[in-house]
C-alpha cells in the first residue's frame, strides 16, 4: 500500500511524457525517411528530364540506347543493366547494350545464349511475352520463368539475385527488353 493516488498520477503523467517522446522520435525518423525518398525522387526526375533533353538531340540510336541503359543502372541503384534487342523475324532476344555501376564491369553477351530461346525464358523472355514489367527477388530460385543453363550460369557467375525487366514496345510489337539487376536479394518491388 505504499503508492497512493498521487504516485499513480505521477507515474501515469511520466508514462504519457514517455509516449510523446517515443512518438516524436518515430515521427522524426519517418520525416528523415520521407526526405531521403523525396531526394531520390527529385534526383530521378532531374535525371529523366536531362535524359529526355539529351535524347531529343541525339541522332544515333546506339548512343540513345547506351545512355538509356547507363541511366537505368544509376537511377535504380543496380549493379548493372542491359538492353536485349528482339530479332525482327523471330522475336528472339539477344544482347545489345549494357552498363555497370561502381567497380563492376559491363557483362556483355551471355556465353551460350545464341541458341533459340522460347517465350518465358529468363526474366527478359517473360517480360517480352507478357508485355509488362516483371521482377524477381531471387533469380535462380524463381519458378515463374523457364531456366536455361547458360542464363543461370551467367546469374551465378555474376552474383545476380534481384532482377527486373521491362519490355521495349512500339506499335509494331516488342523491340526488346530493358533489364536491371543486383546482387542484393528482394531489392525491387
Amino acid at each position: 500500500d505504499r503508492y497512493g493516488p498521487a504516485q499513480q498520477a505521477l507515474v501515469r503523467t511520466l508514462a504519457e511524457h514517455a509516449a510523446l517522446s517515443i512518438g516524436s522520435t518515430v515521427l522524426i525518423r519517418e520525416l528523415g525517411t520521407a526526405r531521403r525518398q523525396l531526394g531520390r525522387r527529385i534526383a530521378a526526375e532531374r535525371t529523366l528530364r536531362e535524359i529526355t533533353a539529351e535524347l531529343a538531340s541525339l541522332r544515333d540510336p546506339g548512343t540513345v540506347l547506351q545512355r538509356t541503359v547507363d541511366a537505368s543502372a544509376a537511377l535504380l541503384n543496380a549493379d548493372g543493366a542491359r538492353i536485349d534487342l528482339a530479332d525482327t523475324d523471330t522475336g528472339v532476344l539477344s544482347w545489345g547494350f549494357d552498363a555497370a555501376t561502381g567497380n563492376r564491369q559491363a557483362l556483355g553477351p551471355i556465353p551460350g545464349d545464341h541458341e533459340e530461346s522460347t517465350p518465358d525464358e529468363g526474366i527478359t523472355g517473360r517480360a517480352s511475352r507478357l508485355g509488362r514489367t516483371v521482377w524477381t527477388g531471387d533469380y535462380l530460385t524463381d519458378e515463374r520463368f523457364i531456366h536455361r543453363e547458360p542464363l543461370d550460369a551467367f546469374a551465378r557467375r555474376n552474383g545476380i539475385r534481384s532482377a527486373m525487366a521491362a519490355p521495349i514496345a512500339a506499335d509494331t510489337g516488342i523491340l526488346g527488353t530493358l533489364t536491371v539487376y543486383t546482387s542484393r536479394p528482394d531489392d525491387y518491388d
Side-chain angles (χ1 to χ4, degrees):
D1 295 332
R2 178 168 166 109
Y3 301 120
Q7 288 85 8
Q8 291 173 14
L10 177 60
V11 168
R12 188 173 34 254
T13 301
L14 291 170
E16 289 170 359
H17 283 292
L20 288 172
S21 177
I22 291 169
S24 295
T25 301
V26 168
L27 288 175
I28 289 168
R29 264 193 221 126
E30 288 174 355
L31 179 60
T33 299
R35 283 183 178 162
R36 285 188 297 281
Q37 290 172 343
L38 179 60
R40 284 192 293 271
R41 286 186 186 136
I42 289 170
E45 203 173 297
R46 183 181 326 114
T47 301
L48 289 173
R49 276 195 310 272
E50 290 169 0
I51 290 170
T52 300
E54 186 179 326
L55 294 180
S57 69
L58 294 174
R59 301 291 179 246
D60 174 36
T63 304
V64 171
L65 294 174
Q66 187 61 56
R67 179 68 175 111
T68 301
V69 80
D70 291 340
S72 299
L75 284 172
L76 290 161
N77 193 28
D79 294 339
R82 61 186 285 136
I83 288 180
D84 290 294
L85 301 173
D87 181 282
T88 54
D89 296 326
T90 65
V92 172
L93 296 167
S94 59
W95 175 86
F97 300 87
D98 65 357
T101 59
N103 60 358
R104 291 179 168 258
Q105 291 184 332
L107 302 176
I110 297 173
D113 192 33
H114 57 279
E115 303 164 16
E116 288 295 313
S117 62
T118 60
D120 265 356
E121 192 168 88
I123 195 161
T124 57
R126 183 167 172 76
S128 176
R129 187 181 71 75
L130 295 176
R132 64 177 171 80
T133 303
V134 295
W135 67 90
T136 180
D138 193 358
Y139 186 90
L140 291 171
T141 64
D142 197 321
E143 296 178 1
R144 294 175 300 160
F145 50 85
I146 297 169
H147 289 265
R148 190 161 54 85
E149 186 48 34
L151 302 176
D152 286 358
F154 180 81
R156 269 192 302 279
R157 190 171 46 256
N158 294 289
I160 295 171
R161 297 287 303 274
S162 295
M164 182 169 43
I168 301 170
D171 293 339
T172 57
I174 301 297
L175 304 175
T177 56
L178 171 62
T179 305
V180 293
Y181 55 86
T182 181
S183 59
R184 296 178 303 272
D186 300 315
D187 204 45
Y188 302 121
D189 58 22

